[in-house]
Amino acid sequence: MQTQGVLAGRSIMITGASSGIGAAAARLFAAEGAGVVLMARRERELHTLVDEITAAGGRAAAAVGDVTVPADTDRAVALAVETFGKLDGAFNNAGWGTLGGPLHEVLQADFDRMMDVNVRGVWNCLRSQLPVMMSFGGGSVVNTSSTAGRFATGAAAPYVAAKHAVAGLTKAAAAEYGGYGIRVNALMVGVTRTELIEGVLRDTPVREKDLVTRAVQRRLADPVEVARAALWLCSDHSSFVTGGEIPVEGGAFAT
Ligand code: NAP
């Protein structure tokens, strides 16, 4: 077991680990000493990442699954306990969204998917993780919200609603489980260069600079810049931080 790093000896579950922010977090957390259980639906991407982390001397296991399915999030938590002996942390990061367009034109199927992946996904993860963390005496959970969890960014209305709900679930869980030594925080993430945003730029007429007009730093984030904030929240360096909405948004909330 790696004894160096801010997460040395920790066991951490990361959802949405097959690409983007989750994959960046998987590499970073493993490099900082954690054993990571990686969850997403795409099997090949997860196994490739597990192999990469293992080849670099890290510890990783793949839990192929869908966060909208409670049995799958239960299975990922069980794999963390089986492989690394416990569960100390979780980065509940899987999500999906689209750009806006008038609310009344959003397809019902897109509403369902945005609510299911972003809200039910975090809900399922919390329900699987919290009792296990309680049994091990504590832990730290980080949920991926968005600037859309604070204001109408131009993303589709159900995405804005879903990311507000993630912030609400975070506060409720922080209040209810603080007494068990469990901290729960949300990351309010600004526009980040990942598959999700590349899909938006490909499928809609929006330009990259239109996505960052509100940010002080007029650029997209690199996924690792978001992963570093999740690392801090999962580590003991953030020991007095819970129930928080932590901005990683290049200053979009300042303007
Ligand atoms: P991404 O590269 O598209 O990653 C999304 C991840 O979620 C993928 O690993 C995907 O894996 C996984 N996922 C989607 N649906 C899932 C499901 N039902 N079950 C399990 N895994 C699922 O995009 P990203 O930008 O890194 O997104 C990560 C998080 O950041 C999301 O919560 C997103 O809303 C949030 N965010 C992103 C931005 C941005 O500008 N990129 C801004 C604010 C917030 P599979 O397809 O393999 O399942």
Side-chain angles (χ1 to χ4, degrees), residues 15-22 39-42 65-68 93-97 113 117-118 144-147 159 163 189-197:
T15 73
S18 59
S19 62
I21 294 165
M39 183 174 181
R41 295 163 303 171
R42 283 173 292 174
D66 187 328
V67 291
T68 68
N93 164 77
W96 181 75
R113 184 173 168 196
V117 180
N118 295 295
T144 302
S145 181
S146 164
T147 47
Y159 184 79
K163 290 303 190 183
V189 177
V191 192
T192 305
R193 193 176 301 285
T194 65
E195 282 181 18
L196 192 149
I197 284 301

